[in-house]
Amino acid sequence: MSKSVITALATPFKNGKIDIDGYVKLCKFQQENGVDALLALGTTAEAQLLSRCERKLLLALTKATVNLPIVAGIEEPSTAQACREAEQYALLGASAIMVAPPSFCKCTPSGYFRHIEAIFLASKLPVILYNIPSRAGYALDRKTVKRLTERGYVNYVKDSSSNCDFATKISPYCNVLCGSDERLSDYLKANACGVISVVSNVAPRLTKAAVNGNEAVKRQFDTLASLAMQEINPIAVKYMLYKRGIFASYEMRLPLTRASAKTRRAINENWEENII
């Protein structure tokens, strides 16, 4: 069975504002090159640095531009606000939502369960759990994930913990999506059913080939995955999108900063113009 590629879309800026033309160009590029779905408003989108109006704009643009399933990211630590966002995203045409753990405030396993339950009930959309301890401050536990799947609230986990043992252990009752391009091979061995990818922003067909076990593209994919993590995501991939001609600039929103000279040099030195 073919494994899925979901692109975690980046957000282009021009003079501090969303570059609508660049975003539409990226969305069209993804659909034309065969990805299975798009993730709007994830970490790669700099979602926490966008206003609520900007988030809705990006989701509406994505829906209007492509005929693909759209996953909307929710990174709100407040359950009440997360529920309101889930309701809005359902109305705007999202096919599913991906929920990051409540960062900074954290929560107990019971609180996390109730957080996800409330978001699911507010939208009735399928929920993808986002396991990213490096940003959230704690990792999901197997018992709570299993409980959420048994209730029918969750069918997928995007795992960005680089803990393939966790992925292997939850895979019997929950679909695992690799959330770390640089560990893709390991996650495929741990029964991942696909990837939510940063690299696929610039190389969707290459990513599709890599996730489906094409050994001929492995070196090129691994190189891009390493380059994408040169600095805090999405700094490097936005430079790569600029270099590929999809974005007009590699502007970031503070506190994120543009790709450093070191990162640009590494990308320039390893860039292959024939990215498939």
Side-chain angles (χ1 to χ4, degrees):
M1 181 181 292
S2 177
K3 296 181 184 291
S4 299
V5 171
I6 302 171
T7 300
L9 296 168
T11 304
F13 297 115
K14 187 183 292 183
N15 300 321
K17 296 182 179 180
I18 291 173
D19 178 1
I20 292 174
D21 290 342
Y23 188 77
V24 168
K25 187 175 182 179
L26 175 61
C27 290
K28 288 180 177 179
F29 176 69
Q30 296 300 312
Q31 178 159 285
E32 289 165 0
N33 285 280
V35 302
D36 299 285
L38 299 177
L39 168 63
L41 311 179
T43 303
T44 308
E46 299 167 74
Q48 288 194 331
L49 307 180
L50 302 174
S51 70
R52 292 192 176 99
C53 287
E54 287 175 324
R55 293 176 198 172
K56 289 193 285 185
L57 170 64
L58 285 181
L59 188 54
L61 282 172
T62 312
K63 183 67 177 178
T65 303
V66 300
N67 183 27
L68 288 171
I70 300 166
V71 181
I74 293 178
E75 299 181 351
E76 280 286 344
S78 160
T79 302
Q81 181 56 38
C83 287
R84 285 192 287 271
E85 286 197 357
E87 289 176 315
Q88 291 172 347
Y89 296 165
L91 293 173
L92 287 167
S95 305
I97 50 178
M98 186 182 77
V99 184
S103 57
F104 195 76
C105 64
K106 299 188 179 183
C107 58
T108 63
S110 175
Y112 177 73
F113 177 90
R114 292 174 62 187
H115 180 72
I116 299 299
E117 178 181 51
I119 293 169
F120 172 81
L121 294 174
S123 70
K124 296 298 193 295
L125 291 175
V127 174
I128 301 171
L129 301 182
Y130 187 9
N131 189 32
I132 184 158
S134 63
R135 291 180 184 260
Y138 62 99
L140 304 190
D141 67 273
R142 282 190 294 145
K143 183 177 179 181
T144 305
V145 171
K146 186 175 183 181
R147 187 179 170 206
L148 286 164
T149 61
E150 289 172 344
R151 290 291 184 91
Y153 300 151
V154 168
N155 289 312
Y156 291 86
V157 171
K158 175 191 176 184
D159 188 45
S160 298
S161 70
S162 293
N163 181 357
C164 292
D165 182 56
F166 172 77
T168 300
K169 288 176 178 175
I170 66 170
S171 63
Y173 50 84
C174 188
N175 298 297
V176 176
L177 291 160
C178 170
S180 303
D181 282 323
E182 67 277 17
R183 296 288 306 279
L184 178 61
S185 295
D186 295 330
Y187 272 93
L188 293 176
K189 293 174 185 175
N191 302 316
C193 65
V195 61
I196 295 182
S197 176
V198 175
V199 169
S200 59
N201 275 278
V202 292
R205 284 191 292 153
L206 178 74
T207 305
K208 189 74 174 178
V211 80
N212 283 292
N214 185 335
E215 289 296 321
V217 304
K218 186 177 186 302
R219 182 199 60 78
Q220 193 177 18
F221 179 84
D222 288 347
T223 297
L224 286 176
S226 177
L227 292 171
M229 293 299 114
Q230 287 288 309
E231 292 190 75
I232 296 167
N233 184 43
I235 291 173
V237 77
K238 288 182 80 170
Y239 179 71
M240 287 193 276
L241 283 163
Y242 165 74
K243 190 169 178 66
R244 183 137 205 202
I246 297 171
F247 284 3
S249 78
Y250 50 101
E251 184 177 329
M252 307 293 299
R253 273 206 177 155
L254 288 170
L256 294 173
T257 53
R258 292 175 190 246
S260 67
K262 180 181 179 181
T263 293
R264 298 196 307 272
R265 184 167 57 252
I267 292 170
N268 292 340
E269 289 174 353
N270 291 281
W271 190 256
E272 296 183 36
E273 294 297 336
N274 63 335
I275 297 172
I276 67 170

